[in-house]
Amino acid sequence: SQQGEEDPQALSIQEGENATMNCSYKTSINNLQWYRQNSGRGLVHLILIRSNEREKHSGRLRVTLDTSKKSSSLLITASRAADTASYFCATAPKGTSGSRLTFGEGTQLTVNP
Amino acid sequence: NAGVTQTPKFRVLKTGQSMTLLCAQDMNHEYMYWYRQDPGMGLRLIHYSVGEGTTAKGEVPDGYNVSRLKKQNFLLGLESAAPSQTSVYFCASIASSMGGEPQHFGDGTRLSIL
């Protein structure tokens, strides 16, 4: 079963606006990761936040993690048309062998020029 | 440095045929994974390997077999393809399980079974 659930399923914004995507999960985790997938391509890692961290930044990306609510959010500031892609959260559940990740169903982001 | 390479990129099979998907990585990574992605869904783990000669089942292993005879290669086999196995298959790898690391993905194999 899918550990992560993402909200919204689809998001359409104008260039320059901020985009926020949310992820909820069910079990305790070691870390949570966000990936981007452009159409017809593989997933590309964006950012990793560990369970003892609350916020992390990377360029125009800001990720927050609330382990008490079992939720995370990804904020993309000053969006560009090139940010159009699907975004997935992935969790590394505690006690899972092999460094396996469980992926959410993704948010399809469309940035209109 | 190619990263993770998947072959073939596209394939059409008839029900009951068999085939093998190849994943090759040139990063000397220990761990490798096979996922499938169906429309509107995230990735589901089929099988994975934590080192040469090892394999383990993931979330949806039925109908698939895998082998990791060489560290750089991870093969996914379909012995008797079924229409339900129509999907996009992704391979990924990481160096090790130390402290959480991002997975590196190939660009996928698009498989249609008629």
PDB file of all heavy atoms in Angstrom, chain A residues 1-2 33 35 37 40-43 45 50 88 97-101 103-105, chain B residues 31 33 37 42 44-45 48 59 90 94 97 99 101-103 105-107 110:
ATOM      1  N   SER A   1       0.852  -1.187   0.000  1.00  0.00           N
ATOM      2  CA  SER A   1       0.000   0.000   0.000  1.00  0.00           C
ATOM      3  C   SER A   1       0.885   1.234   0.000  1.00  0.00           C
ATOM      4  O   SER A   1       2.021   1.198   0.451  1.00  0.00           O
ATOM      5  CB  SER A   1      -0.901   0.004   1.215  1.00  0.00           C
ATOM      6  OG  SER A   1      -0.142   0.084   2.387  1.00  0.00           O
ATOM      7  N   GLN A   2       0.365   2.318  -0.535  1.00  0.00           N
ATOM      8  CA  GLN A   2       1.137   3.530  -0.625  1.00  0.00           C
ATOM      9  C   GLN A   2       1.242   4.175   0.744  1.00  0.00           C
ATOM     10  O   GLN A   2       0.250   4.438   1.401  1.00  0.00           O
ATOM     11  CB  GLN A   2       0.476   4.502  -1.617  1.00  0.00           C
ATOM     12  CG  GLN A   2       0.435   3.976  -3.040  1.00  0.00           C
ATOM     13  CD  GLN A   2       1.803   3.881  -3.680  1.00  0.00           C
ATOM     14  OE1 GLN A   2       2.679   4.668  -3.378  1.00  0.00           O
ATOM     15  NE2 GLN A   2       1.998   2.899  -4.538  1.00  0.00           N
ATOM     16  N   GLN A  33      11.881  12.167   1.275  1.00  0.00           N
ATOM     17  CA  GLN A  33      12.546  12.734   0.109  1.00  0.00           C
ATOM     18  C   GLN A  33      11.505  13.227  -0.893  1.00  0.00           C
ATOM     19  O   GLN A  33      10.406  12.695  -0.971  1.00  0.00           O
ATOM     20  CB  GLN A  33      13.432  11.667  -0.549  1.00  0.00           C
ATOM     21  CG  GLN A  33      14.460  11.074   0.408  1.00  0.00           C
ATOM     22  CD  GLN A  33      15.287   9.981  -0.218  1.00  0.00           C
ATOM     23  OE1 GLN A  33      15.543   9.983  -1.419  1.00  0.00           O
ATOM     24  NE2 GLN A  33      15.711   9.019   0.594  1.00  0.00           N
ATOM     25  N   TYR A  35      11.029  14.051  -5.062  1.00  0.00           N
ATOM     26  CA  TYR A  35      11.553  13.805  -6.390  1.00  0.00           C
ATOM     27  C   TYR A  35      10.699  14.525  -7.421  1.00  0.00           C
ATOM     28  O   TYR A  35       9.504  14.737  -7.225  1.00  0.00           O
ATOM     29  CB  TYR A  35      11.535  12.302  -6.707  1.00  0.00           C
ATOM     30  CG  TYR A  35      12.546  11.476  -5.960  1.00  0.00           C
ATOM     31  CD1 TYR A  35      12.324  11.081  -4.641  1.00  0.00           C
ATOM     32  CD2 TYR A  35      13.734  11.089  -6.559  1.00  0.00           C
ATOM     33  CE1 TYR A  35      13.250  10.330  -3.943  1.00  0.00           C
ATOM     34  CE2 TYR A  35      14.672  10.321  -5.880  1.00  0.00           C
ATOM     35  CZ  TYR A  35      14.420   9.950  -4.578  1.00  0.00           C
ATOM     36  OH  TYR A  35      15.349   9.195  -3.904  1.00  0.00           O
ATOM     37  N   GLN A  37       9.627  14.412 -11.628  1.00  0.00           N
ATOM     38  CA  GLN A  37       9.614  13.592 -12.823  1.00  0.00           C
ATOM     39  C   GLN A  37       9.078  14.413 -13.991  1.00  0.00           C
ATOM     40  O   GLN A  37       7.900  14.785 -13.997  1.00  0.00           O
ATOM     41  CB  GLN A  37       8.761  12.333 -12.640  1.00  0.00           C
ATOM     42  CG  GLN A  37       8.792  11.400 -13.849  1.00  0.00           C
ATOM     43  CD  GLN A  37       7.934  10.161 -13.658  1.00  0.00           C
ATOM     44  OE1 GLN A  37       6.897  10.195 -13.023  1.00  0.00           O
ATOM     45  NE2 GLN A  37       8.380   9.039 -14.229  1.00  0.00           N
ATOM     46  N   GLY A  40       7.938  11.553 -19.466  1.00  0.00           N
ATOM     47  CA  GLY A  40       8.724  10.586 -20.212  1.00  0.00           C
ATOM     48  C   GLY A  40      10.121  10.323 -19.673  1.00  0.00           C
ATOM     49  O   GLY A  40      10.912   9.643 -20.336  1.00  0.00           O
ATOM     50  N   ARG A  41      10.405  10.821 -18.496  1.00  0.00           N
ATOM     51  CA  ARG A  41      11.742  10.649 -17.920  1.00  0.00           C
ATOM     52  C   ARG A  41      11.677   9.944 -16.569  1.00  0.00           C
ATOM     53  O   ARG A  41      10.589   9.690 -16.029  1.00  0.00           O
ATOM     54  CB  ARG A  41      12.420  12.015 -17.745  1.00  0.00           C
ATOM     55  CG  ARG A  41      12.565  12.828 -19.018  1.00  0.00           C
ATOM     56  CD  ARG A  41      13.421  12.126 -20.064  1.00  0.00           C
ATOM     57  NE  ARG A  41      14.771  11.859 -19.606  1.00  0.00           N
ATOM     58  CZ  ARG A  41      15.778  12.717 -19.714  1.00  0.00           C
ATOM     59  NH1 ARG A  41      15.579  13.914 -20.227  1.00  0.00           N
ATOM     60  NH2 ARG A  41      16.988  12.384 -19.293  1.00  0.00           N
ATOM     61  N   GLY A  42      12.846   9.612 -16.040  1.00  0.00           N
ATOM     62  CA  GLY A  42      12.917   9.023 -14.711  1.00  0.00           C
ATOM     63  C   GLY A  42      12.815  10.083 -13.631  1.00  0.00           C
ATOM     64  O   GLY A  42      12.751  11.277 -13.914  1.00  0.00           O
ATOM     65  N   LEU A  43      12.788   9.650 -12.391  1.00  0.00           N
ATOM     66  CA  LEU A  43      12.692  10.571 -11.265  1.00  0.00           C
ATOM     67  C   LEU A  43      14.056  11.162 -10.951  1.00  0.00           C
ATOM     68  O   LEU A  43      15.080  10.484 -11.043  1.00  0.00           O
ATOM     69  CB  LEU A  43      12.147   9.860 -10.031  1.00  0.00           C
ATOM     70  CG  LEU A  43      10.630   9.693  -9.950  1.00  0.00           C
ATOM     71  CD1 LEU A  43      10.119   8.708 -10.970  1.00  0.00           C
ATOM     72  CD2 LEU A  43      10.210   9.278  -8.542  1.00  0.00           C
ATOM     73  N   HIS A  45      16.083  13.279  -7.911  1.00  0.00           N
ATOM     74  CA  HIS A  45      16.026  13.648  -6.504  1.00  0.00           C
ATOM     75  C   HIS A  45      16.156  15.166  -6.335  1.00  0.00           C
ATOM     76  O   HIS A  45      17.008  15.809  -6.961  1.00  0.00           O
ATOM     77  CB  HIS A  45      17.161  12.963  -5.748  1.00  0.00           C
ATOM     78  CG  HIS A  45      17.202  13.290  -4.303  1.00  0.00           C
ATOM     79  ND1 HIS A  45      18.069  14.222  -3.774  1.00  0.00           N
ATOM     80  CD2 HIS A  45      16.470  12.820  -3.268  1.00  0.00           C
ATOM     81  CE1 HIS A  45      17.873  14.302  -2.480  1.00  0.00           C
ATOM     82  NE2 HIS A  45      16.919  13.471  -2.153  1.00  0.00           N
ATOM     83  N   ARG A  50      15.618  14.753   7.094  1.00  0.00           N
ATOM     84  CA  ARG A  50      15.659  13.660   8.061  1.00  0.00           C
ATOM     85  C   ARG A  50      14.584  13.861   9.131  1.00  0.00           C
ATOM     86  O   ARG A  50      14.084  14.973   9.329  1.00  0.00           O
ATOM     87  CB  ARG A  50      17.048  13.565   8.688  1.00  0.00           C
ATOM     88  CG  ARG A  50      18.129  13.339   7.648  1.00  0.00           C
ATOM     89  CD  ARG A  50      19.498  13.123   8.254  1.00  0.00           C
ATOM     90  NE  ARG A  50      20.541  13.144   7.225  1.00  0.00           N
ATOM     91  CZ  ARG A  50      20.791  12.152   6.383  1.00  0.00           C
ATOM     92  NH1 ARG A  50      20.085  11.044   6.456  1.00  0.00           N
ATOM     93  NH2 ARG A  50      21.748  12.260   5.479  1.00  0.00           N
ATOM     94  N   PHE A  88       6.907  13.931  -6.473  1.00  0.00           N
ATOM     95  CA  PHE A  88       6.583  12.787  -5.618  1.00  0.00           C
ATOM     96  C   PHE A  88       7.313  12.907  -4.285  1.00  0.00           C
ATOM     97  O   PHE A  88       8.497  13.265  -4.255  1.00  0.00           O
ATOM     98  CB  PHE A  88       7.018  11.474  -6.271  1.00  0.00           C
ATOM     99  CG  PHE A  88       6.271  11.135  -7.525  1.00  0.00           C
ATOM    100  CD1 PHE A  88       6.734  11.564  -8.759  1.00  0.00           C
ATOM    101  CD2 PHE A  88       5.118  10.378  -7.474  1.00  0.00           C
ATOM    102  CE1 PHE A  88       6.050  11.251  -9.931  1.00  0.00           C
ATOM    103  CE2 PHE A  88       4.423  10.053  -8.633  1.00  0.00           C
ATOM    104  CZ  PHE A  88       4.895  10.500  -9.861  1.00  0.00           C
ATOM    105  N   SER A  97      14.185  -2.752   5.780  1.00  0.00           N
ATOM    106  CA  SER A  97      15.515  -3.138   5.313  1.00  0.00           C
ATOM    107  C   SER A  97      15.741  -2.674   3.877  1.00  0.00           C
ATOM    108  O   SER A  97      14.799  -2.349   3.149  1.00  0.00           O
ATOM    109  CB  SER A  97      15.662  -4.656   5.392  1.00  0.00           C
ATOM    110  OG  SER A  97      14.733  -5.278   4.534  1.00  0.00           O
ATOM    111  N   GLY A  98      17.007  -2.642   3.490  1.00  0.00           N
ATOM    112  CA  GLY A  98      17.350  -2.378   2.097  1.00  0.00           C
ATOM    113  C   GLY A  98      17.174  -0.945   1.643  1.00  0.00           C
ATOM    114  O   GLY A  98      17.175  -0.662   0.451  1.00  0.00           O
ATOM    115  N   SER A  99      17.036  -0.011   2.607  1.00  0.00           N
ATOM    116  CA  SER A  99      16.873   1.411   2.258  1.00  0.00           C
ATOM    117  C   SER A  99      15.741   1.631   1.276  1.00  0.00           C
ATOM    118  O   SER A  99      15.826   2.481   0.385  1.00  0.00           O
ATOM    119  CB  SER A  99      18.179   1.984   1.689  1.00  0.00           C
ATOM    120  OG  SER A  99      19.145   2.076   2.693  1.00  0.00           O
ATOM    121  N   ARG A 100      14.671   0.851   1.445  1.00  0.00           N
ATOM    122  CA  ARG A 100      13.554   0.987   0.528  1.00  0.00           C
ATOM    123  C   ARG A 100      12.786   2.278   0.775  1.00  0.00           C
ATOM    124  O   ARG A 100      12.697   2.756   1.902  1.00  0.00           O
ATOM    125  CB  ARG A 100      12.613  -0.206   0.688  1.00  0.00           C
ATOM    126  CG  ARG A 100      13.158  -1.495   0.111  1.00  0.00           C
ATOM    127  CD  ARG A 100      12.250  -2.645   0.430  1.00  0.00           C
ATOM    128  NE  ARG A 100      12.400  -3.095   1.806  1.00  0.00           N
ATOM    129  CZ  ARG A 100      11.581  -3.935   2.400  1.00  0.00           C
ATOM    130  NH1 ARG A 100      10.514  -4.397   1.757  1.00  0.00           N
ATOM    131  NH2 ARG A 100      11.799  -4.306   3.639  1.00  0.00           N
ATOM    132  N   LEU A 101      12.230   2.799  -0.308  1.00  0.00           N
ATOM    133  CA  LEU A 101      11.376   3.977  -0.241  1.00  0.00           C
ATOM    134  C   LEU A 101       9.955   3.614  -0.629  1.00  0.00           C
ATOM    135  O   LEU A 101       9.741   2.726  -1.455  1.00  0.00           O
ATOM    136  CB  LEU A 101      11.883   5.065  -1.190  1.00  0.00           C
ATOM    137  CG  LEU A 101      13.243   5.675  -0.895  1.00  0.00           C
ATOM    138  CD1 LEU A 101      13.608   6.683  -1.979  1.00  0.00           C
ATOM    139  CD2 LEU A 101      13.249   6.339   0.469  1.00  0.00           C
ATOM    140  N   PHE A 103       6.668   5.479  -2.227  1.00  0.00           N
ATOM    141  CA  PHE A 103       6.334   6.698  -2.949  1.00  0.00           C
ATOM    142  C   PHE A 103       4.853   7.029  -2.852  1.00  0.00           C
ATOM    143  O   PHE A 103       4.000   6.148  -2.838  1.00  0.00           O
ATOM    144  CB  PHE A 103       6.713   6.549  -4.423  1.00  0.00           C
ATOM    145  CG  PHE A 103       8.186   6.625  -4.675  1.00  0.00           C
ATOM    146  CD1 PHE A 103       8.993   5.513  -4.501  1.00  0.00           C
ATOM    147  CD2 PHE A 103       8.772   7.824  -5.070  1.00  0.00           C
ATOM    148  CE1 PHE A 103      10.355   5.581  -4.718  1.00  0.00           C
ATOM    149  CE2 PHE A 103      10.141   7.902  -5.291  1.00  0.00           C
ATOM    150  CZ  PHE A 103      10.932   6.779  -5.113  1.00  0.00           C
ATOM    151  N   GLY A 104       4.576   8.333  -2.830  1.00  0.00           N
ATOM    152  CA  GLY A 104       3.210   8.800  -2.951  1.00  0.00           C
ATOM    153  C   GLY A 104       2.783   8.786  -4.409  1.00  0.00           C
ATOM    154  O   GLY A 104       3.557   8.435  -5.298  1.00  0.00           O
ATOM    155  N   GLU A 105       1.524   9.212  -4.639  1.00  0.00           N
ATOM    156  CA  GLU A 105       0.977   9.163  -5.994  1.00  0.00           C
ATOM    157  C   GLU A 105       1.328  10.392  -6.818  1.00  0.00           C
ATOM    158  O   GLU A 105       1.070  10.428  -8.014  1.00  0.00           O
ATOM    159  CB  GLU A 105      -0.532   8.967  -5.920  1.00  0.00           C
ATOM    160  CG  GLU A 105      -0.915   7.631  -5.291  1.00  0.00           C
ATOM    161  CD  GLU A 105      -2.401   7.409  -5.246  1.00  0.00           C
ATOM    162  OE1 GLU A 105      -3.165   8.267  -5.718  1.00  0.00           O
ATOM    163  OE2 GLU A 105      -2.821   6.341  -4.742  1.00  0.00           O
TER     164      GLU A 105
ATOM    165  N   TYR B  31      23.174  -1.006  -3.860  1.00  0.00           N
ATOM    166  CA  TYR B  31      21.757  -1.318  -3.821  1.00  0.00           C
ATOM    167  C   TYR B  31      21.103  -0.952  -5.146  1.00  0.00           C
ATOM    168  O   TYR B  31      21.330   0.137  -5.683  1.00  0.00           O
ATOM    169  CB  TYR B  31      21.058  -0.535  -2.699  1.00  0.00           C
ATOM    170  CG  TYR B  31      21.398  -0.971  -1.293  1.00  0.00           C
ATOM    171  CD1 TYR B  31      22.616  -1.538  -0.958  1.00  0.00           C
ATOM    172  CD2 TYR B  31      20.461  -0.799  -0.282  1.00  0.00           C
ATOM    173  CE1 TYR B  31      22.904  -1.920   0.332  1.00  0.00           C
ATOM    174  CE2 TYR B  31      20.738  -1.186   1.023  1.00  0.00           C
ATOM    175  CZ  TYR B  31      21.967  -1.739   1.330  1.00  0.00           C
ATOM    176  OH  TYR B  31      22.245  -2.115   2.608  1.00  0.00           O
ATOM    177  N   TYR B  33      17.169  -1.317  -7.443  1.00  0.00           N
ATOM    178  CA  TYR B  33      15.727  -1.488  -7.265  1.00  0.00           C
ATOM    179  C   TYR B  33      15.029  -1.535  -8.624  1.00  0.00           C
ATOM    180  O   TYR B  33      15.423  -0.834  -9.550  1.00  0.00           O
ATOM    181  CB  TYR B  33      15.136  -0.315  -6.467  1.00  0.00           C
ATOM    182  CG  TYR B  33      15.840  -0.032  -5.162  1.00  0.00           C
ATOM    183  CD1 TYR B  33      16.988   0.772  -5.132  1.00  0.00           C
ATOM    184  CD2 TYR B  33      15.371  -0.552  -3.964  1.00  0.00           C
ATOM    185  CE1 TYR B  33      17.642   1.029  -3.938  1.00  0.00           C
ATOM    186  CE2 TYR B  33      16.020  -0.288  -2.768  1.00  0.00           C
ATOM    187  CZ  TYR B  33      17.156   0.497  -2.767  1.00  0.00           C
ATOM    188  OH  TYR B  33      17.804   0.753  -1.573  1.00  0.00           O
ATOM    189  N   GLN B  37       5.502   1.817 -12.641  1.00  0.00           N
ATOM    190  CA  GLN B  37       4.681   3.018 -12.483  1.00  0.00           C
ATOM    191  C   GLN B  37       3.502   2.913 -13.431  1.00  0.00           C
ATOM    192  O   GLN B  37       3.677   2.816 -14.643  1.00  0.00           O
ATOM    193  CB  GLN B  37       5.480   4.284 -12.790  1.00  0.00           C
ATOM    194  CG  GLN B  37       4.673   5.554 -12.550  1.00  0.00           C
ATOM    195  CD  GLN B  37       5.474   6.812 -12.810  1.00  0.00           C
ATOM    196  OE1 GLN B  37       6.321   6.846 -13.700  1.00  0.00           O
ATOM    197  NE2 GLN B  37       5.239   7.848 -12.024  1.00  0.00           N
ATOM    198  N   GLY B  42       2.072   6.507  -8.106  1.00  0.00           N
ATOM    199  CA  GLY B  42       3.490   6.581  -7.779  1.00  0.00           C
ATOM    200  C   GLY B  42       4.178   5.291  -8.162  1.00  0.00           C
ATOM    201  O   GLY B  42       3.625   4.449  -8.872  1.00  0.00           O
ATOM    202  N   ARG B  44       5.792   1.631  -7.454  1.00  0.00           N
ATOM    203  CA  ARG B  44       5.658   0.482  -6.558  1.00  0.00           C
ATOM    204  C   ARG B  44       6.862  -0.429  -6.751  1.00  0.00           C
ATOM    205  O   ARG B  44       7.231  -0.770  -7.875  1.00  0.00           O
ATOM    206  CB  ARG B  44       4.349  -0.266  -6.839  1.00  0.00           C
ATOM    207  CG  ARG B  44       3.107   0.510  -6.441  1.00  0.00           C
ATOM    208  CD  ARG B  44       1.851  -0.317  -6.671  1.00  0.00           C
ATOM    209  NE  ARG B  44       1.603  -0.539  -8.092  1.00  0.00           N
ATOM    210  CZ  ARG B  44       0.701  -1.401  -8.561  1.00  0.00           C
ATOM    211  NH1 ARG B  44      -0.006  -2.152  -7.728  1.00  0.00           N
ATOM    212  NH2 ARG B  44       0.520  -1.534  -9.862  1.00  0.00           N
ATOM    213  N   LEU B  45       7.438  -0.869  -5.637  1.00  0.00           N
ATOM    214  CA  LEU B  45       8.664  -1.651  -5.671  1.00  0.00           C
ATOM    215  C   LEU B  45       8.366  -3.098  -6.020  1.00  0.00           C
ATOM    216  O   LEU B  45       7.547  -3.750  -5.369  1.00  0.00           O
ATOM    217  CB  LEU B  45       9.364  -1.567  -4.310  1.00  0.00           C
ATOM    218  CG  LEU B  45      10.687  -2.293  -4.180  1.00  0.00           C
ATOM    219  CD1 LEU B  45      11.734  -1.678  -5.099  1.00  0.00           C
ATOM    220  CD2 LEU B  45      11.165  -2.261  -2.730  1.00  0.00           C
ATOM    221  N   TYR B  48      14.277  -5.880  -5.182  1.00  0.00           N
ATOM    222  CA  TYR B  48      15.456  -5.080  -4.967  1.00  0.00           C
ATOM    223  C   TYR B  48      16.635  -5.981  -4.604  1.00  0.00           C
ATOM    224  O   TYR B  48      16.461  -7.181  -4.360  1.00  0.00           O
ATOM    225  CB  TYR B  48      15.225  -4.007  -3.890  1.00  0.00           C
ATOM    226  CG  TYR B  48      14.977  -4.531  -2.499  1.00  0.00           C
ATOM    227  CD1 TYR B  48      15.979  -4.533  -1.533  1.00  0.00           C
ATOM    228  CD2 TYR B  48      13.712  -5.007  -2.138  1.00  0.00           C
ATOM    229  CE1 TYR B  48      15.741  -4.997  -0.261  1.00  0.00           C
ATOM    230  CE2 TYR B  48      13.470  -5.482  -0.859  1.00  0.00           C
ATOM    231  CZ  TYR B  48      14.482  -5.466   0.072  1.00  0.00           C
ATOM    232  OH  TYR B  48      14.244  -5.937   1.347  1.00  0.00           O
ATOM    233  N   GLU B  59       7.059  -4.855  -2.956  1.00  0.00           N
ATOM    234  CA  GLU B  59       5.628  -4.775  -2.711  1.00  0.00           C
ATOM    235  C   GLU B  59       4.796  -5.596  -3.700  1.00  0.00           C
ATOM    236  O   GLU B  59       3.777  -6.171  -3.335  1.00  0.00           O
ATOM    237  CB  GLU B  59       5.204  -3.300  -2.790  1.00  0.00           C
ATOM    238  CG  GLU B  59       3.763  -3.018  -2.497  1.00  0.00           C
ATOM    239  CD  GLU B  59       3.414  -1.539  -2.742  1.00  0.00           C
ATOM    240  OE1 GLU B  59       4.328  -0.740  -3.001  1.00  0.00           O
ATOM    241  OE2 GLU B  59       2.217  -1.214  -2.694  1.00  0.00           O
ATOM    242  N   PHE B  90      10.954   1.250 -13.950  1.00  0.00           N
ATOM    243  CA  PHE B  90      12.100   2.081 -13.606  1.00  0.00           C
ATOM    244  C   PHE B  90      13.068   1.305 -12.723  1.00  0.00           C
ATOM    245  O   PHE B  90      12.663   0.571 -11.825  1.00  0.00           O
ATOM    246  CB  PHE B  90      11.663   3.339 -12.853  1.00  0.00           C
ATOM    247  CG  PHE B  90      10.975   4.341 -13.725  1.00  0.00           C
ATOM    248  CD1 PHE B  90       9.594   4.414 -13.775  1.00  0.00           C
ATOM    249  CD2 PHE B  90      11.722   5.216 -14.507  1.00  0.00           C
ATOM    250  CE1 PHE B  90       8.967   5.334 -14.586  1.00  0.00           C
ATOM    251  CE2 PHE B  90      11.092   6.147 -15.317  1.00  0.00           C
ATOM    252  CZ  PHE B  90       9.708   6.205 -15.358  1.00  0.00           C
ATOM    253  N   ILE B  94      21.396   3.088  -5.280  1.00  0.00           N
ATOM    254  CA  ILE B  94      22.054   3.945  -4.304  1.00  0.00           C
ATOM    255  C   ILE B  94      23.365   3.283  -3.902  1.00  0.00           C
ATOM    256  O   ILE B  94      23.525   2.073  -4.027  1.00  0.00           O
ATOM    257  CB  ILE B  94      21.195   4.211  -3.049  1.00  0.00           C
ATOM    258  CG1 ILE B  94      20.873   2.902  -2.314  1.00  0.00           C
ATOM    259  CG2 ILE B  94      19.935   4.966  -3.387  1.00  0.00           C
ATOM    260  CD1 ILE B  94      20.206   3.115  -0.975  1.00  0.00           C
ATOM    261  N   SER B  97      23.339   1.981   2.346  1.00  0.00           N
ATOM    262  CA  SER B  97      22.226   2.379   3.210  1.00  0.00           C
ATOM    263  C   SER B  97      22.690   3.301   4.338  1.00  0.00           C
ATOM    264  O   SER B  97      21.965   3.532   5.288  1.00  0.00           O
ATOM    265  CB  SER B  97      21.583   1.138   3.826  1.00  0.00           C
ATOM    266  OG  SER B  97      22.495   0.503   4.704  1.00  0.00           O
ATOM    267  N   GLY B  99      22.973   6.301   6.352  1.00  0.00           N
ATOM    268  CA  GLY B  99      22.445   7.629   6.623  1.00  0.00           C
ATOM    269  C   GLY B  99      21.423   8.166   5.659  1.00  0.00           C
ATOM    270  O   GLY B  99      21.201   9.370   5.634  1.00  0.00           O
ATOM    271  N   GLU B 101      20.196   7.991   1.571  1.00  0.00           N
ATOM    272  CA  GLU B 101      20.747   8.588   0.350  1.00  0.00           C
ATOM    273  C   GLU B 101      19.673   8.652  -0.724  1.00  0.00           C
ATOM    274  O   GLU B 101      18.744   7.841  -0.724  1.00  0.00           O
ATOM    275  CB  GLU B 101      21.902   7.737  -0.176  1.00  0.00           C
ATOM    276  CG  GLU B 101      23.087   7.664   0.747  1.00  0.00           C
ATOM    277  CD  GLU B 101      24.204   6.850   0.144  1.00  0.00           C
ATOM    278  OE1 GLU B 101      24.205   6.668  -1.082  1.00  0.00           O
ATOM    279  OE2 GLU B 101      25.077   6.409   0.897  1.00  0.00           O
ATOM    280  N   PRO B 102      19.786   9.608  -1.657  1.00  0.00           N
ATOM    281  CA  PRO B 102      18.819   9.662  -2.751  1.00  0.00           C
ATOM    282  C   PRO B 102      19.033   8.515  -3.718  1.00  0.00           C
ATOM    283  O   PRO B 102      20.156   8.059  -3.921  1.00  0.00           O
ATOM    284  CB  PRO B 102      19.132  11.006  -3.420  1.00  0.00           C
ATOM    285  CG  PRO B 102      20.565  11.260  -3.107  1.00  0.00           C
ATOM    286  CD  PRO B 102      20.788  10.676  -1.742  1.00  0.00           C
ATOM    287  N   GLN B 103      17.949   8.087  -4.324  1.00  0.00           N
ATOM    288  CA  GLN B 103      18.046   7.061  -5.349  1.00  0.00           C
ATOM    289  C   GLN B 103      18.266   7.714  -6.714  1.00  0.00           C
ATOM    290  O   GLN B 103      17.727   8.775  -7.008  1.00  0.00           O
ATOM    291  CB  GLN B 103      16.778   6.196  -5.356  1.00  0.00           C
ATOM    292  CG  GLN B 103      16.624   5.376  -4.087  1.00  0.00           C
ATOM    293  CD  GLN B 103      15.505   4.347  -4.157  1.00  0.00           C
ATOM    294  OE1 GLN B 103      14.857   4.163  -5.180  1.00  0.00           O
ATOM    295  NE2 GLN B 103      15.283   3.655  -3.048  1.00  0.00           N
ATOM    296  N   PHE B 105      17.792   7.284 -10.719  1.00  0.00           N
ATOM    297  CA  PHE B 105      16.872   6.561 -11.591  1.00  0.00           C
ATOM    298  C   PHE B 105      17.316   6.554 -13.045  1.00  0.00           C
ATOM    299  O   PHE B 105      17.913   7.520 -13.537  1.00  0.00           O
ATOM    300  CB  PHE B 105      15.480   7.191 -11.530  1.00  0.00           C
ATOM    301  CG  PHE B 105      14.708   6.829 -10.300  1.00  0.00           C
ATOM    302  CD1 PHE B 105      14.902   7.510  -9.114  1.00  0.00           C
ATOM    303  CD2 PHE B 105      13.790   5.794 -10.317  1.00  0.00           C
ATOM    304  CE1 PHE B 105      14.207   7.177  -7.963  1.00  0.00           C
ATOM    305  CE2 PHE B 105      13.074   5.448  -9.174  1.00  0.00           C
ATOM    306  CZ  PHE B 105      13.293   6.139  -8.003  1.00  0.00           C
ATOM    307  N   GLY B 106      16.966   5.449 -13.733  1.00  0.00           N
ATOM    308  CA  GLY B 106      17.042   5.421 -15.177  1.00  0.00           C
ATOM    309  C   GLY B 106      15.817   6.090 -15.772  1.00  0.00           C
ATOM    310  O   GLY B 106      14.908   6.516 -15.043  1.00  0.00           O
ATOM    311  N   ASP B 107      15.765   6.162 -17.090  1.00  0.00           N
ATOM    312  CA  ASP B 107      14.663   6.848 -17.769  1.00  0.00           C
ATOM    313  C   ASP B 107      13.488   5.934 -18.084  1.00  0.00           C
ATOM    314  O   ASP B 107      12.527   6.359 -18.728  1.00  0.00           O
ATOM    315  CB  ASP B 107      15.154   7.516 -19.049  1.00  0.00           C
ATOM    316  CG  ASP B 107      15.788   8.868 -18.776  1.00  0.00           C
ATOM    317  OD1 ASP B 107      15.490   9.461 -17.713  1.00  0.00           O
ATOM    318  OD2 ASP B 107      16.581   9.326 -19.611  1.00  0.00           O
ATOM    319  N   ARG B 110       9.254   1.352 -21.320  1.00  0.00           N
ATOM    320  CA  ARG B 110       7.804   1.361 -21.511  1.00  0.00           C
ATOM    321  C   ARG B 110       7.398   0.051 -22.158  1.00  0.00           C
ATOM    322  O   ARG B 110       7.774  -0.220 -23.300  1.00  0.00           O
ATOM    323  CB  ARG B 110       7.396   2.561 -22.351  1.00  0.00           C
ATOM    324  CG  ARG B 110       7.432   3.829 -21.530  1.00  0.00           C
ATOM    325  CD  ARG B 110       7.843   5.059 -22.294  1.00  0.00           C
ATOM    326  NE  ARG B 110       8.002   6.188 -21.385  1.00  0.00           N
ATOM    327  CZ  ARG B 110       9.090   6.409 -20.646  1.00  0.00           C
ATOM    328  NH1 ARG B 110      10.120   5.606 -20.725  1.00  0.00           N
ATOM    329  NH2 ARG B 110       9.144   7.450 -19.847  1.00  0.00           N
TER     330      ARG B 110
END
